[in-house]
Amino acid sequence: MSEGKRAARLIDIADEVDAENIPLFLAHQTYKRRRLMDAARLLPLLGLVLMMFPLLWLGPENEPRTATGVIYIFVTWAVLTLAAYLIARRLSGPLPSEPEAGERDDVV
Amino acid sequence: MSFNLLVAVSLLYVGFLFLVAFLAERRAKSGAGRWLRSPMVYTLSLSIYCTAWTFYGAVGYAARSGLEYLTIYLGPTLVLTGWWLVLRKLVRVGRAQRITSIADLISSRFGKSNTLGVIVTLLAVVGTTPYIALQLQSVTLSLEVFAEASPRTIAGPQEGNAFWVAAGLALFTILFGTRNLDANERHHGVITAIAVEAVVKLVALLAVGTFVTWGIAGGVGDVIARIETSPLAEWELHPSRWAGLIFLSAAAVLCLPRMFQVLVVENADEAHLATASWAFPLYMLLMSVFVVPIAVIGLERLPAGSNPDLFVLTVPLSEGRGGLAMLAFLGGLSSATSMVIVAAIALSTMVSNHIVMPLWLSRQRVGSAMVAGDVRYVVLRARRISIGGVLLLGYLYYRFSGGSEALAAIGIISFAGVSQVLPALLGGLFWRGATRSGAIAGLLIGFTIWVWTLFLPSFGAAGPMSASLLAEGPLGLGWLRPEGLFGIDGMDPLVHSLFWSIGLNTLALCTVSILSFPSPLERLQSAQVVNVFDHTVGAQGWARGSAEAEDLLMMAQRILGADEAQDLFRKQAEAQGKVGQLPDTTPEFVSDLERDLSGSVGAATAHAMVGQIVGGSSVLVEDLMRVADEAQQILEYSSQLEEKSEELAHTARQLRDANEKLTALSVQKDAFLSQISHELRTPMTSIRSFSELLREGGLAAPDQARFSLIIHDEAQRLTRLLDDLLDLGVMESAQVSLNLGPARLPDLLDRAIAAAATEGQLTIRREPDREDYELVTDGDRLSQVFINLIANARKYCDSPTPELTITVREDGGDLVVDFVDNGAGIDEKSRAIIFEKFVRLTDTASAGGAGLGLAICQEIMARLGGDVAYLSDRGGAAFRVRIPREASAVAAAG
């Protein structure tokens, strides 16, 4: 528990944003936050698919090359890490204090 | 490169770590070390996942099996990037329930069951001990590398190295791992030292990798080219192992006791998890990016037969880079020590909370938790002994497992062992229906299969399993062969074991959970854990008032320490508005306290200790719920009974009324029959005797006239009586035809009064100006009713000056005519029967009627669509006649 006051973060209010019985139409910002959480949930699935992909390289004749494997895996690994960074930063960064000007409340 | 220099540097490094831990501990105590709790420190502490097995072993693994070593890091990468799904909930539950270890979590989730705590603890000890042995071996092996390389070796006894390493680690762990029984079980000193070690090992590996890539090879392109020409050029990809190992390492990162310790127990803020979700994969990426280059260069440069597990050291040494090799050695030392320290802390917490403390408690007398000895001291001592024990076990395992061959494979085998907790962990976290029996069944089955198919065979033919057993199964039962269960051969032994153990483990968990029924505490805890995001209220398990606040304070002081405990109680008292006093032992307070204590000694033990103090009158949740259930049942039953008994009483009352009525009627009927026979016989006798007198003749004229008159009168009486009876019979059989027509009420009343012959006997009071109503009715019948009522008043009014008041008013569409006399009225018990036939309340012959008057009135009024009723509380006898203004409808219907 960090000391003192701090700005609210999405991770702190996630449970409210994530509630199941929410209205059909949400404010733009809330909608965006829910999609961000969806992204956080989907990311490991994407990772799993990417990591299992080399299994499809096996053919009846050819054995995949180690060099190709090294490059493929480290590149996807780095991409996954970057995606995790972007999502995590928005989930745990301070929330904007006020809705942006011209924010519409009735966006689906 | 002197071996002695290496030893000196190592000792310096260890001294530095002690200092770091000490300073961090002090800063944390003074509240100044906020950076100690930064997300980066948290992420670096996760690096204990990368042990010496990965620091040295990854290169060896790559040299032997190509890219398969990556699976060990890809699994955790998936778990960390998927933190929102599992880890976040795990951390939240850990904080909400003050979880101290993975055994505590499983125990707590399944109804604070200590049986489960013990099972998970034993599983963790069995799974971790070989791993600790592996770390000791890596340190000894790496020391040997330097000893061999150094010409002027004054090396200590080789066998003793591992022992001294183990002893030193035990000392460090005891010093910084058991300094306090923090309510949150966080170890700032240890974590900070581990973060430093994490940096050291990363820097060391990156340095060696950089040297190999740019110092020996000519950059990235050259390395790729060298891979193409190396023995590793072909990627020997085994799909089952690739997928199985990714699954296994993902499971292990959740289930390893040391990972649970740093991920969940030492977590200070859920947002740190967000940082770790990308930073820890990045760390692992950096740790593994140079593994293949080092392996390729090592295979290329070093003589055939060199141990690839030590390439990280031997490649720099063979190139004459002593300083780099020393850095690599420190990296390896860091990897080994940090793993051992955290594992020892995690295991000792589990052993002391789930095995030692329950044993100690069970030896205490009931209610003695606050008097017998210093609990705090007992817990700490239990933990220190456990740490020593865990390291001793690791050392012994190392000594007696013999060759390094068996140890090298133990890392993955260890993973598979602790992964048996995964079904219970995930099931408990996401499925409300998972029960304690299910978890126990799953764990035992998974553990047994793991031991049988992987752990015991790992010792090789020289181990407890003979070659014939491996080949033919126990007692020749082929389908039980450790590496071909149910006759399915040819699978990779690890994948084979993993599939059957985790598969049947999960199946048992689900099946037994579905078939069994959880206890109330289990159901409460399951809701608390599974729905942790909805509500984080505590379990409220204690009865109010029975626990003495002083006793609780004394016990809390012994576990939390005097300052913390007093602070806790003071805050609680303030919250209750009782400054300067002890707080009331409300159920909320006791539950809070229990949760705080469970942060130190585990949920099951805390529950038991508070239970001892709250004592004989302690009310467990089970009891409360059972009592509530029973009370509810009793309540329902009694309200049903009440309803029934009311119904019965009602029926009985009705029966009694009916019976009374019947009895009265029967009496009246008897009386009436004798009356009517008397009534008939009297006139008949008179008529017969006087007519005989007349027939004999010889009577004087006046006598003749008098006798004829008597005969005439008596005949009339008979006629009247028979008329009445006839009337009633006709009325009752509804055969009467009404003769409806317009009539004026005053006329009808006048006629009735005249006919009732009240002259001189009864004064009639009327209000002529309010009687003037026109109505459509059968005037003759209605006036018959009036006549009867007036005649009744004449006959029965017992006042010395009888009066009858007739009032008329309109009520809705009806006319209401009241006949009230000034007599004594009709007593209450008789009112019910006055409208019955044959009823006469008095036997006095003066009545002169047959008791049919009111019955006839009632029949007539019913035919006319109105009614006649007796009014109580009007002074005398009072009858109300209700007449519809328009009787036609009813008449037509009749």
Side-chain angles (χ1 to χ4, degrees):
Chain A
M1 205 75 65
S2 77
E3 298 85 321
K5 280 254 173 192
R6 69 174 175 216
R9 304 164 303 185
L10 182 46
I11 193 175
D12 299 319
I13 61 166
D15 304 331
E16 297 153 40
V17 178
D18 210 20
E20 274 172 20
N21 49 351
I22 52 143
L24 187 55
F25 296 96
L26 296 169
H28 182 72
Q29 209 175 38
T30 314
Y31 179 88
K32 279 292 174 200
R33 284 170 188 164
R34 286 172 61 80
R35 296 296 83 77
L36 182 65
M37 292 177 203
D38 290 347
R41 287 187 192 97
L42 287 174
L43 189 62
L45 194 68
L46 172 73
L48 186 68
V49 171
L50 289 176
M51 294 308 170
M52 292 298 148
F53 178 51
L55 298 183
L56 303 181
W57 300 356
L58 283 169
E61 297 294 311
N62 63 314
E63 193 87 10
R65 309 298 299 173
T66 299
T68 325
V70 166
I71 295 169
Y72 170 78
I73 289 192
F74 280 99
V75 168
T76 47
W77 199 343
V79 168
L80 267 185
T81 306
L82 182 69
Y85 167 71
L86 293 174
I87 292 172
R89 195 185 56 165
R90 292 193 51 192
L91 277 171
S92 62
L95 290 173
S97 51
E98 279 168 36
E100 295 143 37
E103 176 86 80
R104 286 182 57 193
D105 274 351
D106 55 349
V107 184
V108 179
Chain B
M1 180 65 222
S2 138
F3 181 73
N4 291 337
L5 178 64
L6 178 83
V7 172
V9 170
S10 303
L11 288 179
L12 265 180
Y13 176 66
V14 171
F16 168 69
L17 288 180
F18 271 80
L19 188 69
V20 166
F22 174 71
L23 288 178
E25 200 74 49
R26 218 172 58 172
R27 293 205 62 143
K29 205 152 217 169
S30 65
R34 205 167 155 187
W35 57 273
L36 293 175
R37 285 285 143 221
S38 72
M40 275 305 154
V41 170
Y42 178 72
T43 305
L44 288 173
S45 73
L46 300 188
S47 76
I48 54 156
Y49 180 75
C50 307
T51 63
W53 176 54
T54 58
F55 188 85
Y56 295 121
V59 173
Y61 200 152
R64 290 186 199 99
S65 319
L67 292 183
E68 199 176 277
Y69 81 96
L70 284 171
T71 54
I72 303 302
Y73 306 100
L74 293 179
T77 298
L78 293 179
V79 171
L80 263 292
T81 51
W83 66 289
W84 195 260
L85 285 175
V86 180
L87 283 178
R88 191 172 71 102
K89 192 167 195 180
L90 197 60
V91 166
R92 177 74 67 88
V93 170
R95 290 157 64 83
Q97 300 278 326
R98 310 281 173 110
I99 298 300
T100 59
S101 66
I102 186 157
D104 193 27
L105 175 74
I106 302 290
S107 147
S108 194
R109 159 62 179 83
F110 295 103
K112 307 191 178 177
S113 148
N114 204 47
T115 312
L116 268 172
V118 170
I119 292 174
V120 177
T121 302
L122 291 179
L123 201 150
V125 170
V126 172
T128 310
T129 305
Y131 216 99
I132 291 176
L134 184 62
Q135 309 304 311
L136 296 179
Q137 171 173 282
S138 75
V139 175
T140 339
L141 276 180
S142 57
L143 272 175
E144 278 168 17
V145 168
F146 281 89
E148 283 163 17
S150 165
R152 290 176 288 113
T153 301
I154 324 170
Q158 295 293 317
E159 284 304 320
N161 286 346
F163 179 79
W164 290 115
V165 170
L169 286 171
L171 180 71
F172 182 91
T173 313
I174 288 171
L175 268 183
F176 294 103
T178 59
R179 281 177 79 83
N180 53 350
L181 277 175
D182 192 6
N184 302 318
E185 257 330 288
R186 299 205 179 105
H187 307 89
H188 298 93
V190 171
I191 293 299
T192 312
I194 280 165
V196 171
E197 290 189 300
V199 174
V200 170
K201 63 191 184 198
L202 180 63
V203 167
L205 208 56
L206 287 180
V208 175
T210 311
F211 168 69
V212 163
T213 309
W214 285 278
I216 300 177
V220 177
D222 187 33
V223 166
I224 298 283
R226 282 171 192 243
I227 292 174
E228 285 294 337
T229 59
S230 76
L232 300 180
E234 297 244 310
W235 178 6
E236 290 172 41
L237 182 57
H238 303 290
S240 67
R241 277 183 73 84
W242 181 261
L245 282 169
I246 288 183
F247 168 79
L248 181 60
S249 60
V253 82
L254 288 170
C255 299
L256 281 172
R258 64 174 196 276
M259 287 314 290
F260 191 89
Q261 177 80 26
V262 287
L263 264 173
V264 179
V265 181
E266 306 279 352
N267 178 282
D269 182 351
E270 277 171 37
H272 292 175
L273 210 49
T275 307
S277 76
W278 58 269
F280 186 55
L282 181 65
Y283 184 93
M284 289 187 294
L285 188 154
L286 294 176
M287 284 292 280
S288 49
V289 72
F290 287 116
V291 165
V292 173
I294 297 172
V296 167
I297 299 293
L299 287 172
E300 206 178 284
R301 294 270 175 141
L302 292 175
S306 312
N307 185 358
D309 281 334
L310 294 169
F311 279 175
V312 177
L313 285 179
T314 48
V315 167
L317 271 181
S318 69
E319 301 292 323
R321 299 296 181 116
L324 188 61
M326 186 180 286
L327 182 61
F329 174 79
L330 289 184
L333 185 67
S334 301
S335 312
T337 51
S338 54
M339 178 269 160
V340 173
I341 289 166
V342 179
I345 289 178
L347 283 186
S348 73
T349 307
M350 285 156 73
V351 170
S352 79
N353 284 0
H354 295 284
I355 295 177
V356 179
M357 285 308 291
L359 281 178
W360 182 81
L361 270 180
S362 71
R363 291 169 65 97
Q364 305 292 314
R365 289 192 323 280
V366 171
S368 58
M370 73 280 190
V371 288
D374 189 336
V375 178
R376 181 180 161 76
Y377 178 67
V378 171
V379 174
L380 281 180
R381 194 171 51 179
R383 253 184 232 183
R384 283 169 185 155
I385 293 172
S386 307
I387 288 173
V390 164
L391 283 165
L392 187 68
L393 267 182
Y395 172 72
L396 291 177
Y397 191 94
Y398 163 72
R399 280 300 302 276
F400 295 110
S401 67
S404 59
E405 282 305 309
L407 264 187
I410 206 75
I412 284 180
I413 292 169
S414 204
F415 273 23
V418 293
S419 294
Q420 299 308 322
V421 182
L422 186 75
L425 179 73
L426 292 187
L429 218 47
F430 292 99
W431 184 31
R432 289 264 309 261
T435 68
R436 176 175 159 274
S437 320
I440 290 177
L443 279 168
L444 290 181
I445 285 178
F447 188 60
T448 309
I449 296 177
W450 171 73
V451 168
W452 182 250
T453 59
L454 202 59
F455 188 62
L456 293 183
S458 78
F459 294 100
M465 279 191 169
S466 64
S468 68
L469 192 150
L470 280 172
E472 290 158 26
L475 310 171
L477 294 171
W479 60 278
L480 277 180
R481 260 176 303 124
E483 296 184 347
L485 280 187
F486 307 111
I488 297 178
D489 284 312
M491 285 171 82
D492 179 84
L494 173 76
V495 177
H496 169 267
S497 171
L498 204 57
F499 175 78
W500 287 116
S501 61
I502 297 279
L504 293 182
N505 180 339
T506 311
L507 189 67
L509 169 75
C510 296
T511 313
V512 176
S513 290
I514 287 168
L515 295 180
S516 62
F517 195 78
S519 73
L521 192 58
E522 271 179 81
R523 286 151 78 183
L524 202 67
Q525 285 296 98
S526 81
Q528 297 248 322
V529 168
V530 176
N531 302 333
V532 68
F533 292 127
D534 301 344
H535 56 85
T536 24
V537 291
Q540 300 196 342
W542 302 111
R544 173 191 290 268
S546 51
E548 291 300 324
E550 280 171 44
D551 297 340
L552 285 174
L553 178 59
M554 281 168 69
M555 182 192 65
Q557 279 180 340
R558 295 200 158 99
I559 295 175
L560 302 172
D563 292 345
E564 282 90 344
Q566 282 166 13
D567 201 40
L568 181 77
F569 275 66
R570 198 180 56 244
K571 275 187 194 144
Q572 188 68 36
E574 279 167 14
Q576 289 179 4
K578 300 178 71 180
V579 180
Q581 302 171 44
L582 280 174
D584 286 335
T585 51
T586 60
E588 296 80 23
F589 171 51
V590 178
S591 298
D592 279 355
L593 182 67
E594 186 193 318
R595 207 135 27 112
D596 277 340
L597 295 179
S598 72
S600 294
V601 292
T605 307
H607 197 64
M609 292 182 77
V610 174
Q612 280 203 3
I613 289 189
V614 179
S617 58
S618 81
V619 178
L620 299 173
V621 177
E622 291 98 317
D623 299 336
L624 277 180
M625 293 185 71
R626 198 168 53 238
V627 169
D629 274 357
E630 278 168 11
Q632 183 61 30
Q633 282 174 8
I634 291 171
L635 211 64
E636 270 169 26
Y637 186 59
S638 88
S639 79
Q640 276 175 9
L641 276 183
E642 214 169 289
E643 216 167 89
K644 276 202 181 118
S645 90
E646 221 163 78
E647 215 175 282
L648 282 176
H650 186 67
T651 314
R653 206 160 48 235
Q654 280 180 333
L655 280 175
R656 203 165 49 236
D657 287 352
N659 188 39
E660 272 168 17
K661 209 160 153 183
L662 283 174
T663 315
L665 276 179
S666 156
V667 170
Q668 291 296 342
K669 202 166 196 167
D670 290 347
F672 173 76
L673 283 177
S674 70
Q675 174 74 23
I676 202 160
S677 53
H678 174 73
E679 293 281 343
L680 288 173
R681 191 181 291 133
T682 313
M684 288 307 284
T685 313
S686 309
I687 290 168
R688 206 176 58 221
S689 43
F690 283 109
S691 56
E692 271 171 16
L693 282 175
L694 285 176
R695 197 182 60 186
E696 285 166 6
L699 291 171
D703 283 343
Q704 232 178 28
R706 193 160 57 90
F707 291 164
S708 313
L709 187 63
I710 290 170
I711 291 170
H712 178 257
D713 283 352
E714 292 300 311
Q716 269 198 332
R717 243 173 90 185
L718 269 176
T719 312
R720 202 165 59 235
L721 184 66
L722 293 172
D723 276 351
D724 281 355
L725 282 171
L726 192 64
D727 261 1
L728 193 65
V730 170
M731 286 283 181
E732 276 190 340
S733 55
Q735 284 167 347
V736 71
S737 56
L738 294 176
N739 186 13
L740 296 181
R744 288 186 64 249
L745 189 59
D747 296 347
L748 295 177
L749 283 171
D750 289 345
R751 189 154 29 121
I753 291 164
T758 61
E759 285 306 313
Q761 296 179 47
L762 186 68
T763 314
I764 308 279
R765 294 178 182 278
R766 291 172 59 186
E767 298 168 322
D769 49 333
R770 299 176 64 175
E771 290 172 353
D772 196 8
Y773 290 100
E774 287 272 348
L775 43 101
V776 177
T777 189
D778 185 331
D780 291 340
R781 297 283 176 188
L782 187 56
S783 51
Q784 193 182 344
V785 172
F786 294 159
I787 292 167
N788 279 345
L789 292 175
I790 296 164
N792 272 353
R794 170 174 62 78
K795 286 184 227 163
Y796 300 117
C797 183
D798 51 2
S799 167
T801 55
E803 280 181 16
L804 180 68
T805 309
I806 302 174
T807 55
V808 179
R809 65 188 172 83
E810 195 172 6
D811 179 25
D814 299 340
L815 289 178
V816 175
V817 186
D818 289 350
F819 297 82
V820 183
D821 68 23
N822 61 346
I826 298 171
D827 63 287
E828 199 172 331
K829 71 179 188 336
S830 307
R831 282 174 204 162
I833 53 168
I834 50 175
F835 290 106
E836 301 292 342
K837 292 182 285 276
F838 311 121
V839 169
R840 281 198 314 195
L841 297 178
T842 55
D843 287 335
T844 49
S846 66
L852 293 172
L854 285 174
I856 291 170
C857 288
Q858 200 173 38
E859 287 298 332
I860 292 173
M861 289 318 298
R863 302 296 304 164
L864 291 176
D867 61 28
V868 53
Y870 184 80
L871 300 176
S872 46
D873 306 323
R874 286 298 179 93
F879 290 89
R880 168 165 292 175
V881 181
R882 182 178 291 272
I883 316 156
R885 297 286 295 270
E886 292 279 344
S888 54
V890 179

